[in-house]
Amino acid sequence: MKFNRDIFKIQFNNVMPSKGCVLISEPFLQDKYFQRSVVYLIDHTEKGSMGLVLNKELEIDLSELMEDLHTEQKLPVFLGGPVAVETLFYLHTLESIPESLQVSDNLYLNGDFDLLKDYINTGGLVEGKIKFFFGYSGWEAGQLMAEIKQNAWLVGDITDDDVLRNEDEKVWEESLESLGEQYKVWTKFPKNPSLN
């Protein structure tokens, strides 16, 4: 028996994307990067969009990759998206790091990495303050809006604290639930309905 996913289809929630919001993938999106993803938009203009997937943790610790990082703290790394996957990006709350790009009132992107390493090596708190990513998610002009109109994404809000959370399992479900009861049903769908 063929599964009819249209009976569960919930239309676009009429919220326009903007810098600092999140994109929440619809439950049947099978793309390996974006299945059940929550993407934090770093930038969104008529020229294109850039974001970081918040809930795809990799099985590595940044201190394992960098010999000059000396800390007992965990430094998890997330897969930010399919573009530039060998490039490290980081969101943080450290306004003292020069060359950082301010994304929200309290969140910054990248900046002087040597100073960031000094902060970590001298015992500066990482959890809740810094989140690391390899790669990013990018859309050309008009591409993201086209995907939204095809109901691939819902647009939602997120707090800076939630952006920096490291647990990834519940982020997608909680982001959907924050949009209201009508979206809660999405969280009950199996990842691959054909296996049910």
Side-chain angles (χ1 to χ4, degrees), residues 104-156:
S104 71
D105 288 344
N106 302 306
L107 269 183
Y108 301 84
L109 176 70
N110 294 354
D112 187 316
F113 191 58
D114 287 332
L115 287 180
L116 189 78
K117 286 190 290 188
D118 288 345
Y119 168 84
I120 294 170
N121 287 337
T122 55
L125 184 65
V126 172
E127 187 174 354
K129 301 273 187 193
I130 309 169
K131 189 167 184 174
F132 297 100
F133 305 84
F134 276 129
Y136 71 92
S137 305
W139 293 265
E140 296 177 357
Q143 184 183 3
L144 178 57
M145 278 310 302
E147 291 180 13
I148 288 172
K149 286 176 182 173
Q150 293 166 356
N151 300 311
W153 302 100
L154 291 171
V155 180

Side-chain angles (χ1 to χ4, degrees), residues 38-149:
V38 177
V39 181
Y40 182 65
L41 276 186
I42 301 298
D43 198 18
H44 177 71
T45 68
E46 56 190 30
K47 295 181 179 178
S49 306
M50 175 190 177
L52 295 166
V53 178
L54 297 178
N55 60 326
K56 302 287 179 180
E57 187 173 350
L58 299 169
E59 293 182 7
I60 54 171
D61 191 283
L62 192 62
S63 60
E64 296 170 5
L65 303 176
M66 297 188 171
E67 292 178 0
D68 54 351
L69 272 175
H70 312 289
T71 180
E72 297 297 313
Q73 298 180 78
K74 288 186 178 180
L75 303 177
V77 182
F78 291 76
L79 180 61
V83 184
V85 293
E86 294 180 3
T87 302
L88 182 69
F89 297 87
Y90 39 98
L91 288 170
H92 58 88
T93 60
L94 310 173
E95 60 181 310
S96 61
I97 301 291
E99 300 170 30
S100 299
L101 172 70
Q102 189 166 8
V103 181
S104 71
D105 288 344
N106 302 306
L107 269 183
Y108 301 84
L109 176 70
N110 294 354
D112 187 316
F113 191 58
D114 287 332
L115 287 180
L116 189 78
K117 286 190 290 188
D118 288 345
Y119 168 84
I120 294 170
N121 287 337
T122 55
L125 184 65
V126 172
E127 187 174 354
K129 301 273 187 193
I130 309 169
K131 189 167 184 174
F132 297 100
F133 305 84
F134 276 129
Y136 71 92
S137 305
W139 293 265
E140 296 177 357
Q143 184 183 3
L144 178 57
M145 278 310 302
E147 291 180 13
I148 288 172
K149 286 176 182 173

